[in-house]
Amino acid sequence: MLSVDDYRNSVLEGIGVLSPIELPLSSAHGCVLAADVASPWPLPSFDNSSMDGYAVIAADLTSATGERPVELTVIDDVPAGFRSTEVVTAGSAIRIMTGAPMPAGADAVVPVERTDGGTQTVQVTGSVERGAHVRRAGEDVVAGELVLPKGTLIGARQVAILAAVGCGLVFVHPRPRVAVISTGSELVEPGLPLRHGLISDSNSYLLVAAAKEAGADAYRVGPIVDDETLFLRTVEDQIHRCDLILTSGGVSMGAHDTVKTVLSALGSVTFTKVAMNPGMPQGHGFVGEERVPIITLPGNPVSSYISFENFVRPAIRLMRGLPDLLRPQMTAVCGAALTSPFGKRQFARARFLASGVVLPTGTGQGSHVMGGLASAEALIVIPEEVTGVEAGQTVSVIDLRTR
Ligand code: AMP
Ligand code: MG
C-alpha cells in the first residue's frame, strides 16, 4: 500500500500548469496571471474632483465664513465624463461633479455642502486649502507601473484594477476543464423514481461541485451503466474536450468494476491501494494521444470526496498555476472519542463546536455516511500509527471552509 503522500506525488507527477491563453477580462476571474500587467496610463489619468461641488481658486475664499459668505459667478457646469472648455479666473467658479476633470485655472474644489448650491452665482460659506478635494493624475499608479505580477490569482479586487488599466484581454493560465464520469448500473439521475436496488447518482454532482470550488470548469458526463464498451467510448469522447477526467466507481475488487478493467488494459493507468480510510482503492494515469490525466475515484460517496480532497484538488490547483496545493492543517481539540485503523491515515468528518474544538459528525465514519459528510466542516486527520483518539485530545484538522 502506498502512503497518501506518496500516492499524491505520483498523481501530480506528469500533471503540469495549463499553457497560458488570452481570455477576455469577463472570463479571467479565478485564473492565475501568466504575465506581469503594467498600466499603460497613470491612475487617475487626469486631475479630477473627489467631491460634488465647485472648482475654485482657493485664494478667492480665504475670508469666507458662514456669517460672511463669498459670492462667486458660476461660469460652467461639468459632470463626470465631460471636460469644461472654460477657464476659472478670480471671482468665478465651475460647478463640478465627482470624477469630472479639473478645469483650467481652478486649484481646489469646495464641496457643495459648504455652499448654497447656486447655479448662476454661488455663496461659499468656508475657505479651502489649495489642492483640496482634487485627485491628482498618477497619485495612485504612474504610467508603466506594474499593477499585478505574474502568478497573481485574479479575484474580484484584481479584476477591478485590470479593468481600470484597460486590460480587456488577460494572459492567464485557464481554469482546467474537468469531465466527471460516474459509473454504476445502480445509478439514477436525481429526481427520477428509484426502483428497488437503485440509488441516485450523487457522486457526479459532488465531484463537479467540488471541482468548481477548487477553481475548475467542471461538468457531468453520465451516469453510465457498468459496460466496458460504453465506458471506453465515453472516456474517448471526453479526451478532446477536457484537461482532466475524473471517474467515480468501479475501481475496487468487484466483478463489475468496469473502470479498473478497461483502463488497466490501456497500460497508461495504474490502480493501487492507498493507506487511507476511507478511499483505499485508487487509480490514475493518462489517456489518449494527448495524454489527458485521468483520476479514478472510488464509488462510495465519502471515499470519493476524501479522495478528491487529497488528490484531485491539488491536481486542479497545480494545473491552475497556484503555489499552495494543500489546504493548511491546524490543531483542534476533539470533542469525542474516535477509533482509527492501524496503518491507515483516517480522515474523519467533523464540525466546529467552537473555534479550536471539533466534533465528529454523522452516524459513524463509514464511507457511505452522507449525512455526516453533509454536516462536516472539517476533516480530523488521524495518523497511520494511531488507533484511537480520546475526547479532549488535540488532533490535526483540515478546515474545509477555507478556500
Ligand atoms: P463501486 O466503487 O462502484 O463498487 O461503488 C461502491 C459503492 O458506492 C456502491 O455502494 C455504489 O452503489 C456506490 N456508488 C457508486 N457510484 C456512486 C455514485 N455516483 N453516487 C452514489 N453512490 C455511488
Ligand atoms: Mg460500481
Side-chain angles (χ1 to χ4, degrees):
M1 263 196 275
L2 279 179
S3 74
V4 171
D5 301 322
D6 286 347
Y7 182 68
R8 183 187 302 113
N9 288 338
S10 93
V11 169
L12 298 181
E13 213 173 281
I15 293 183
V17 185
L18 295 185
S19 303
I21 56 169
E22 224 168 25
L23 282 183
L25 179 56
S26 55
S27 303
H29 182 218
C31 297
V32 170
L33 265 183
D36 290 346
V37 174
S39 181
W41 49 59
L43 285 183
S45 50
F46 49 88
D47 290 357
N48 68 89
S49 176
S50 70
M51 298 288 279
D52 295 328
Y54 296 82
V56 297
I57 296 169
D60 279 355
L61 301 175
T62 43
S63 69
T65 62
E67 290 80 52
R68 306 191 60 176
V70 169
E71 184 177 279
L72 300 172
T73 308
V74 179
I75 57 168
D76 201 4
D77 187 4
V78 52
F82 294 84
R83 182 175 284 282
S84 178
T85 51
E86 303 297 322
V87 178
V88 176
T89 53
S92 74
I94 289 179
R95 192 155 81 124
I96 191 165
M97 300 300 137
T98 305
M102 281 298 285
D107 61 10
V109 170
V110 193
V112 67
E113 294 82 353
R114 226 174 288 169
T115 72
D116 66 351
T119 52
Q120 305 298 312
T121 60
V122 61
Q123 304 286 328
V124 183
T125 56
S127 60
V128 281
E129 297 277 310
R130 272 191 75 184
H133 310 301
V134 179
R135 306 190 284 213
R136 291 287 170 209
E139 72 176 32
D140 178 5
V141 170
V142 298
E145 186 177 331
L146 177 74
V147 289
L148 293 176
K150 175 181 169 163
T152 301
L153 173 61
I154 303 173
R157 295 180 298 282
Q158 292 71 38
V159 164
I161 196 145
L162 290 170
V165 304
C167 193
L169 288 174
V170 197
F171 198 53
V172 293
H173 299 289
R175 278 182 298 274
R177 298 161 302 170
V178 177
V180 177
I181 307 172
S182 61
T183 69
S185 299
E186 72 279 33
L187 302 177
V188 171
E189 186 62 26
L192 295 181
L194 295 179
R195 281 187 287 112
H196 187 69
L198 303 186
I199 60 168
S200 284
D201 167 21
S202 45
N203 284 356
S204 63
Y205 283 95
L206 165 75
L207 295 170
V208 164
K212 285 182 177 169
E213 285 179 10
D217 282 338
Y219 59 94
R220 297 172 67 234
V221 182
I224 60 170
V225 295
D226 289 312
D227 175 275
E228 293 179 15
T229 313
L230 176 61
F231 176 67
L232 187 59
R233 254 206 352 246
T234 307
V235 170
E236 282 170 350
D237 190 41
Q238 291 307 316
I239 287 171
H240 312 286
R241 302 172 198 274
C242 65
D243 304 302
L244 172 65
I245 298 174
L246 302 181
T247 66
S248 130
V251 293
S252 42
M253 305 303 286
H256 302 280
D257 281 336
T258 318
V259 172
K260 194 173 178 176
T261 312
V262 169
L263 295 179
S264 294
L266 298 182
S268 57
V269 183
T270 51
F271 292 86
T272 184
K273 288 182 177 168
V274 179
M276 64 192 285
N277 183 54
M280 186 176 65
Q282 301 287 342
H284 77 94
F286 300 89
V287 284
E289 272 175 24
E290 296 88 339
R291 289 183 59 77
V292 174
I294 185 165
I295 304 177
T296 65
L297 303 170
N300 277 301
V302 183
S303 306
S304 227
Y305 177 71
I306 300 295
S307 308
F308 180 94
E309 260 303 301
N310 273 293
F311 313 122
V312 182
R313 187 176 183 276
I316 289 174
R317 291 178 67 82
L318 177 69
M319 293 172 127
R320 291 174 66 199
L322 292 171
D324 304 320
L325 303 186
L326 302 180
R327 291 190 210 260
Q329 287 199 19
M330 55 201 268
T331 56
V333 172
C334 189
L338 273 174
T339 57
S340 180
F342 179 77
K344 290 184 180 174
R345 190 179 300 179
Q346 170 149 289
F347 296 90
R349 282 71 67 202
R351 67 188 166 86
F352 287 96
L353 274 188
S355 110
V357 185
V358 286
L359 191 68
T361 53
T363 54
Q365 294 292 328
S367 59
H368 62 291
V369 180
M370 296 188 69
L373 182 63
S375 50
E377 299 170 312
L379 298 176
I380 300 172
V381 185
I382 307 176
E384 289 76 350
E385 66 285 0
V386 176
T387 55
V389 168
E390 301 297 327
Q393 203 174 314
T394 297
V395 288
S396 195
V397 162
I398 298 169
D399 187 347
L400 297 172
R401 300 169 304 181
T402 58
R403 283 282 149 149

